[in-house]
């Protein structure tokens, strides 16, 4: 077994052996980022023999007969399986001494996610969660704008993450079933990105929230639907700033409309994921668009700006940068802003709070 422990030097990048658990779109996305980072993708195990064969063909790597067999050959593993399997598979990898990249949600409950974060903190393994929108250069520029005091005292926040891939009654996939996807669907899937990005840019936490959720279609195919299609939140930040967040997977025409706006007493800023090359900066006397040009960026934003201005960067570049930072951490470097299992557990805590508030109608405290 090729394991990392306190007695072993971290392998050079080209020697890092990486496996993928799961198939489908996210497995392909992870595989692309693994290869772009220069590591060896040695194999895949999906949920069953047929799906493993399909994933093997899609990724161009051997299929393994079990998760255990794959783990025995790896230094690190990427978990892209259905949500309900994340906690068990990530824990198994950590127990085997491997570094782990685990898709969000880290687990289907805050309790399980917290246990995983604790397990990761007690090991020397690197354990990260792909909150990859942190890796757009203009997100890092927005964060630097806040850190440098240019925003001023935070007054209000506004965010939305809108999609339409579950818009019609005929739209369905495994996430609809709580046994596979967990008790939350839209918020666990994309709301987790929204709250992570908000707290990352703002540099402070949501301390309480009030939420309501809705289900667009009570039945999809032969499956009764118990998980939300949309969630609307009122939030209060640690500084006292207030705001609104909207998450939906049933907004017609919206494909991946993730937007964050922070307004302070000196300026405001807005980032739109569908226009990742730009950052809007607002002031009472003038508003402007800052485009991605390395000479105008903070050091961390410039670090992630890997092609010249005018050559668009996007989602796959952000994903590759996240994986590269994970592997840098495996080499005992300390890249700034790497989302860890603690961040994954935080998102699960907020997801549980959304469900609790929607059920009770109460404000829920969320400052851990």
């Amino acid at each position: 077994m090729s394991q990392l422990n306190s007695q072993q030097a971290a392998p050079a990048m080209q020697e890092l052996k990486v496996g993928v658990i799961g198939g489908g779109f996210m497995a392909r996305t992870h595989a692309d980022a693994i290869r772009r980072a220069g590591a060896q993708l040695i194999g895949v195990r999906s949920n069953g023999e047929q799906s493993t064969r399909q994933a093997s063909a899609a990724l161009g790597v051997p299929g393994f007969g079990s998760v255990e067999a794959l783990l025995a050959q790896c230094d690190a593993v990427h978990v892209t399986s259905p949500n309900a399997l994340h906690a068990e598979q990530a824990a198994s990898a950590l127990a085997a001494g491997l570094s782990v990249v685990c898709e969000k949600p880290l687990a289907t409950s805050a309790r399980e996610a917290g246990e995983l974060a604790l397990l990761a903190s007690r090991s020397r393994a690197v354990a990260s969660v792909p909150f990859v929108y942190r890796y757009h250069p203009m997100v890092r520029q927005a964060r630097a704008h806040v850190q440098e005091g240019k925003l001023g005292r935070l007054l209000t926040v506004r965010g939305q993450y809108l999609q339409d891939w579950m818009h019609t009654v005929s739209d369905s996939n495994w996430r609809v079933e709580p046994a596979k996807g967990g008790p939350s669907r839209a918020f666990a899937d994309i709301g987790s990105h929204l709250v992570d990005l908000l707290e990352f840019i703002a540099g402070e936490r949501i301390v309480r929230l009030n939420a309501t959720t809705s289900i667009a279609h009570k039945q999809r195919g032969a499956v009764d639907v118990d998980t939300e299609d949309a969630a609307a939140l009122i939030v209060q930040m640690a500084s006292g700033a207030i705001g609104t967040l909207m998450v939906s997977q049933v907004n017609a025409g919206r494909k991946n409309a993730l937007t964050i706006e922070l307004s302070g007493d000196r300026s405001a800023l807005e980032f739109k994921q569908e226009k990742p090359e730009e950052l809007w900066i607002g002031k009472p006397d003038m508003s402007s668009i800052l485009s991605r040009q390395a000479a105008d960026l903070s050091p961390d934003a410039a670090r992630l700006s890997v092609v010249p201005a005018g050559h668009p960067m996007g989602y796959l570049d952000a994903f590759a940068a996240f994986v590269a930072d994970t592997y840098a951490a495996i080499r005992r470097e300390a890249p700034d802003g790497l989302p860890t299992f603690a961040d994954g557990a935080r998102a699960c805590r907020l997801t549980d709070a959304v469900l609790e508030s929607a059920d009770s109608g109460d404000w829920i405290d969320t400052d851990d």
Side-chain angles (χ1 to χ4, degrees):
M1 180 183 297
S2 178
Q3 295 181 359
L4 298 178
N5 59 45
S6 60
Q7 304 302 315
Q8 293 174 308
M13 187 55 62
Q14 66 272 18
E15 298 172 349
L16 189 72
K17 297 178 180 179
V18 182
V20 171
I21 301 173
F25 167 72
M26 290 317 304
R28 295 192 298 274
T29 303
H30 281 256
D32 174 75
I34 291 165
R35 287 168 169 143
R36 288 176 66 174
Q40 295 183 50
L41 178 57
I42 66 163
V44 63
R45 173 64 191 182
S46 190
N47 187 28
E49 300 306 321
Q50 181 178 353
S51 59
T52 297
R53 286 192 295 271
Q54 292 171 341
S56 172
L59 303 186
V61 294
F64 279 67
S66 67
V67 169
E68 293 74 20
L70 178 62
L71 297 181
Q73 300 299 319
C74 294
D75 300 305
V77 68
H78 291 231
V79 177
T80 72
S81 52
N83 301 347
L85 300 175
H86 289 178
E88 178 184 355
Q89 291 171 345
S92 295
L94 287 171
L98 308 186
S99 290
V100 188
V101 177
C102 183
E103 266 298 336
K104 48 77 205 164
L106 184 57
T108 55
S109 73
R111 178 188 59 78
E112 277 191 317
E115 291 171 354
L116 270 178
L118 182 61
L119 183 62
S121 72
R122 290 174 173 171
S123 74
R124 284 183 57 83
V126 173
S128 64
V129 177
F131 289 128
V132 297
Y133 298 118
R134 292 186 180 198
Y135 280 85
H136 286 299
M138 301 313 287
V139 163
R140 297 299 176 108
Q141 186 64 25
R143 184 176 181 236
H145 187 93
V146 174
Q147 291 176 331
E148 292 166 5
K150 295 177 180 177
L151 190 79
R153 179 169 58 89
L154 187 61
L155 302 177
T156 64
V157 300
R158 176 181 63 86
Q160 62 181 33
Y161 200 159
L162 309 178
Q163 298 177 335
D164 70 355
W165 70 285
M166 297 294 283
H167 183 250
T168 70
V169 69
S170 61
D171 294 324
S172 188
N173 83 343
W174 57 262
R175 289 178 176 84
V176 172
E177 303 175 45
K180 296 179 180 178
S184 171
R185 178 161 40 90
F187 199 87
D189 187 21
I190 59 175
S192 55
H193 279 296
L194 180 61
V195 292
D196 177 78
L197 200 61
L198 171 59
E199 294 189 340
F200 181 69
I201 295 173
E204 62 178 88
R205 288 188 162 188
I206 298 167
V207 294
R208 65 183 194 132
L209 62 82
N210 188 274
T212 187
T213 61
S214 67
I215 299 172
H217 306 292
K218 294 295 186 180
Q219 192 171 57
R220 293 178 181 271
V223 179
D224 292 332
V225 176
D226 296 317
T227 53
E228 80 284 353
D229 289 296
L233 288 66
I234 304 171
V235 299
Q236 183 174 14
M237 308 297 290
S239 62
I242 59 171
T244 59
L245 304 178
M246 180 70 188
V247 173
S248 172
Q249 293 180 325
V250 291
N251 275 50
R254 297 297 186 182
K255 302 306 178 185
N256 205 45
L258 169 59
T259 302
I260 286 280
E261 180 181 302
L262 279 67
S263 182
D265 64 0
R266 296 187 65 185
S267 69
L269 58 83
E270 181 187 59
F271 173 77
K272 293 182 176 181
Q273 194 278 149
E274 291 185 333
K275 295 184 177 181
E277 299 282 272
E278 300 177 351
L279 182 66
W280 176 85
I281 298 174
K283 296 181 179 180
D285 55 346
M286 180 184 68
S287 297
S288 60
I289 299 292
L290 178 64
S291 298
R292 182 183 61 80
Q293 298 187 80
D296 299 327
L297 302 182
S298 68
D300 198 32
R303 173 180 77 90
L304 297 172
S305 185
V306 297
V307 295
H311 298 73
M313 295 180 63
Y315 173 77
L316 292 179
D317 298 297
F319 214 107
F322 156 73
V323 171
D325 266 11
T326 297
Y327 295 171
I330 292 174
R331 298 195 304 272
R332 309 295 185 244
E333 299 174 22
D336 182 49
L338 179 67
T340 67
F341 273 24
D343 298 302
R346 171 64 180 168
C348 288
R349 169 74 182 96
L350 291 171
T351 299
D352 276 13
V354 166
L355 296 183
E356 182 181 352
S357 179
D359 183 59
S360 68
D362 297 332
W363 283 86
I364 305 298
D365 292 332
T366 60
D367 193 14
D368 297 333

